[in-house]
Amino acid sequence: MDIVEDSNKLYLEVLSKEKDNVVALNNLGHNYRRQFNLKEALGLFDRAIKKDENYLTAINNKAQTLKDLKKFDEAIEFVNEKVNEKSSFVL
């Protein structure tokens, strides 16, 4: 029994009922990242951030995934865009 695969099924079940559940989107994306499905993970983080632009966990996960994809400049640009003088984020 693979706990990651089992939790993926649960997150997919939640998303079948609530397609915009940001926690399920982020957590499934995190699992996909752990399984090296980086492009799929990135899409899930984007969906979560689109629904809640201040969801710091999804923002961090997206930046980490961009780093994993060796898209360093894009990761830095993304973080700088999210963490600016107008934001309330503290890193």
Side-chain angles (χ1 to χ4, degrees):
M1 177 166 51
D2 183 350
I3 194 163
V4 175
E5 281 298 326
D6 289 345
S7 63
N8 285 353
K9 289 177 187 174
L10 293 173
Y11 295 133
L12 288 168
E13 185 178 330
V14 169
L15 290 169
S16 75
K17 294 174 172 79
E18 297 178 53
K19 68 179 181 134
D20 296 327
N21 184 306
V22 294
V23 174
L25 288 166
N26 178 71
N27 290 351
L28 182 59
H30 184 262
N31 279 357
Y32 282 178
R33 181 174 172 245
R34 290 172 62 191
Q35 296 173 308
F36 303 104
N37 295 325
L38 300 178
K39 290 183 181 180
E40 293 86 352
L42 198 56
L44 291 165
F45 299 138
D46 281 337
R47 284 177 55 196
I49 294 165
K50 185 176 180 181
K51 283 295 170 189
D52 182 354
E53 65 183 28
N54 295 313
Y55 190 14
L56 190 55
T57 304
I59 291 167
N60 179 66
N61 285 336
K62 178 178 178 174
Q64 291 292 330
T65 304
L66 288 169
K67 187 182 91 171
D68 294 343
L69 289 165
K70 309 276 189 251
K71 296 182 177 187
F72 303 113
D73 290 339
E74 189 176 340
I76 291 168
E77 184 179 325
F78 172 71
V79 170
N80 285 337
E81 176 186 301
K82 290 296 181 184
V83 181
N84 60 42
E85 67 276 354
K86 296 177 187 172
S87 73
S88 60
F89 296 135
V90 177
L91 299 178

